[in-house]
Amino acid sequence: MRIILYLSVAVIAIAFLILVLYLAKTLKSLQSTLDSVSQTLSGLENQLQGVTQETAQLLHKTNTLAENIQKKTENLDSVFVAVKNVGTSIQGFNTTLQKVSAKAQNKLDHNEDKIAQIIQWSSAIMELRDRWKTKNAYPEQANAGGIELQAQASDNLPKKRFLRSRY
């Protein structure tokens, strides 16, 4: 029985030795895998640092660009305000011009009859003046043939135009 016991211990020792050998082989394989993973992670870390630096530079440029756009937008805002003020001024000028035009038209319409009378009177006065001038220009003929002279003078006078009434 002792032999069985020794044999059992020897079998257990051999089994343990085989187990340790396979375990050592597995651990070596695991170590090489972990080394590969470590190298990959180291490479990724380097790449990540490069990406981080590029991202920081890009963020800095983006911030600079955003500030530049903000300044230009503020400058454009003043231009738009100026254009708006010009538009408001022009609109006010147009409104004032329309009011003045409407007032002038109303006064003209209101005084149209008076203006027509003034033109008729001035035409009559001009005709009388022209007759008087022709009469004074030819005093010896005015006594002899005044009627013929007046007819000739009135034919030589330009035709006067009268405003037509809108009514």
Side-chain angles (χ1 to χ4, degrees):
M1 246 297 347
R2 275 190 178 204
I3 291 189
I4 294 183
L5 186 65
Y6 287 131
L7 278 176
S8 301
V9 170
V11 169
I12 291 174
I14 291 174
F16 187 72
L17 181 65
I18 292 174
L19 179 68
V20 168
L21 288 176
Y22 278 109
L23 190 58
K25 187 177 180 184
T26 303
L27 287 176
K28 281 198 178 223
S29 175
L30 181 63
Q31 171 141 7
S32 67
T33 303
L34 288 176
D35 286 341
S36 174
V37 168
S38 175
Q39 289 175 355
T40 303
L41 285 177
S42 178
L44 284 176
E45 184 178 335
N46 290 337
Q47 288 179 357
L48 187 61
Q49 285 177 353
V51 169
T52 303
Q53 289 175 353
E54 288 178 9
T55 304
Q57 289 174 352
L58 182 63
L59 185 61
H60 179 69
K61 287 179 182 179
T62 303
N63 287 338
T64 304
L65 182 63
E67 289 174 6
N68 191 9
I69 289 173
Q70 180 66 29
K71 288 178 185 177
K72 288 181 180 179
T73 302
E74 289 171 1
N75 291 339
L76 278 178
D77 285 343
S78 64
V79 170
F80 286 131
V81 167
V83 169
K84 180 183 175 190
N85 290 340
V86 168
T88 304
S89 298
I90 290 173
Q91 186 177 10
F93 179 72
N94 284 341
T95 303
T96 304
L97 191 60
Q98 286 173 351
K99 287 179 183 178
V100 167
S101 176
K103 284 182 182 179
Q105 186 64 39
N106 286 340
K107 286 189 179 189
L108 185 64
D109 289 344
H110 182 66
N111 295 329
E112 186 173 330
D113 292 335
K114 292 179 184 177
I115 292 170
Q117 286 178 353
I118 290 171
I119 290 173
Q120 287 175 353
W121 279 102
S122 65
S123 292
I125 290 171
M126 295 282 282
E127 189 176 323
L128 286 174
R129 183 182 62 109
D130 289 341
R131 284 184 184 174
W132 189 62
K133 279 185 177 181
T134 56
K135 184 179 176 182
N136 287 338
Y138 306 106
E140 64 278 348
Q141 291 179 358
N143 293 336
I147 296 173
E148 289 179 18
L149 183 61
Q150 287 178 357
Q152 288 175 354
S154 65
D155 287 342
N156 292 334
L157 290 177
K159 303 285 188 228
K160 304 294 182 186
R161 293 186 182 164
F162 295 100
L163 289 178
R164 284 193 229 165
S165 175
R166 292 185 183 174
Y167 305 105

